[in-house]
């Protein structure tokens, strides 16, 4: 039935959205290795407008512990430096007149545990999103049943929704295991 296919597609789309959101959240949880994504939350006052750092400087990662920034305009060095400090992401930028160099500190065991907990919270939020999608889909299926769709068709659709839910919850668990391993790896 067309309505049931639509409900299943909507549920799957919503669940995929939860996974994508989780993956983005995991990018912001740094695992000790330098990455341009670590500066994703930094915005710089660029001639009066708040601009993402990546739009006003070239961000490079020469090694696992260093990030370098080369502003497209040299007069932005101090502004960028200040923006990184204000962003409060735990970095202490150094300015050598041409570049801004950030040394990414190694994570302490305690900090690794905190980040692993944060990853668990993000994964749990994603699971809640998946379960909400399931609930919405099942509610829509029940409405169809009340409107005269056969009980067997509706039961089969609910089973499909549950299968989708199990698949996506399993994906979240796998993503979490991988992220925790990445965080805890020294």
């Amino acid at each position: 039935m067309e309505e049931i296919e639509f409900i299943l597609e909507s549920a799957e789309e919503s669940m995929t959205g939860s996974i994508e959101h989780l993956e983005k959240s995991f990018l912001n949880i740094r695992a000790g290795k330098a990455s341009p994504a670590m500066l994703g939350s930094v915005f710089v006052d660029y001639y009066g407008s708040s601009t993402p750092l990546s739009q006003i400087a070239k961000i490079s990662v020469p090694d696992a512990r260093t990030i370098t920034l080369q502003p497209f305009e040299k007069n932005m060095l101090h502004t960028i430096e200040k923006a990184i400090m204000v962003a409060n992401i735990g970095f202490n930028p150094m300015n050598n007149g041409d570049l801004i160099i950030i040394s990414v500190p190694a994570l302490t065991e305690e900090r690794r545990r905190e980040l692993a907990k944060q990853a668990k919270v993000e994964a749990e939020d994603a699971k809640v999103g998946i379960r909400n999608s399931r609930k919405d889909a099942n509610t829509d299926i029940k409405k169809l049943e009340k409107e005269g769709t056969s009980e067997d068709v509706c039961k089969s659709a609910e089973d499909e929704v549950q299968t989708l839910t199990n698949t996506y919850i399993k994906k979240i668990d796998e993503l979490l295991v991988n992220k925790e391993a990445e965080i805890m790896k020294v």
Side-chain angles (χ1 to χ4, degrees), residues 114-161:
E114 279 174 32
L115 291 174
K117 272 185 199 161
Q118 189 182 339
K120 272 192 181 109
V121 168
E122 295 289 349
E124 216 31 67
D125 287 349
K127 285 181 182 180
V128 168
I130 300 285
R131 291 185 194 115
N132 285 338
S133 300
R134 174 185 62 192
K135 189 181 96 194
D136 294 344
N138 285 338
T139 302
D140 291 344
I141 291 168
K142 292 230 185 310
K143 274 184 200 161
L144 286 178
E145 193 175 343
K146 282 182 183 161
E147 292 167 7
T149 305
S150 89
E151 199 177 309
D152 290 346
V153 170
C154 291
K155 178 70 181 118
S156 163
E158 285 177 357
D159 290 344
E160 260 185 82
V161 169

Side-chain angles (χ1 to χ4, degrees), residues 48-60:
S49 69
S50 185
T51 309
L53 180 58
S54 59
Q55 290 182 15
I56 60 170
K58 178 178 177 250
I59 304 173
S60 310

Side-chain angles (χ1 to χ4, degrees), residues 1-83:
M1 260 185 84
E2 213 172 282
E3 291 103 338
I4 287 184
E5 274 180 44
F6 178 74
I7 292 169
L8 292 172
E9 283 173 12
S10 296
E12 187 164 12
E13 202 174 294
S14 175
M15 290 177 183
T16 302
S18 292
I19 296 281
E20 287 168 357
H21 180 76
L22 177 65
E23 288 170 336
K24 280 186 187 137
S25 299
F26 277 178
L27 281 178
N28 292 331
I29 299 175
R30 70 182 183 98
K33 206 167 80 182
S35 145
M38 293 176 166
L39 299 171
S41 62
V42 178
F43 283 81
V44 180
D45 179 25
Y46 185 65
Y47 298 109
S49 69
S50 185
T51 309
L53 180 58
S54 59
Q55 290 182 15
I56 60 170
K58 178 178 177 250
I59 304 173
S60 310
V61 183
D63 62 58
R65 293 261 175 254
T66 312
I67 301 173
T68 60
L69 301 163
Q70 179 143 32
F72 300 133
E73 296 176 33
K74 218 173 199 171
N75 64 338
M76 293 302 294
L77 275 168
H78 292 293
T79 313
I80 292 172
E81 205 174 4
K82 201 174 349 176

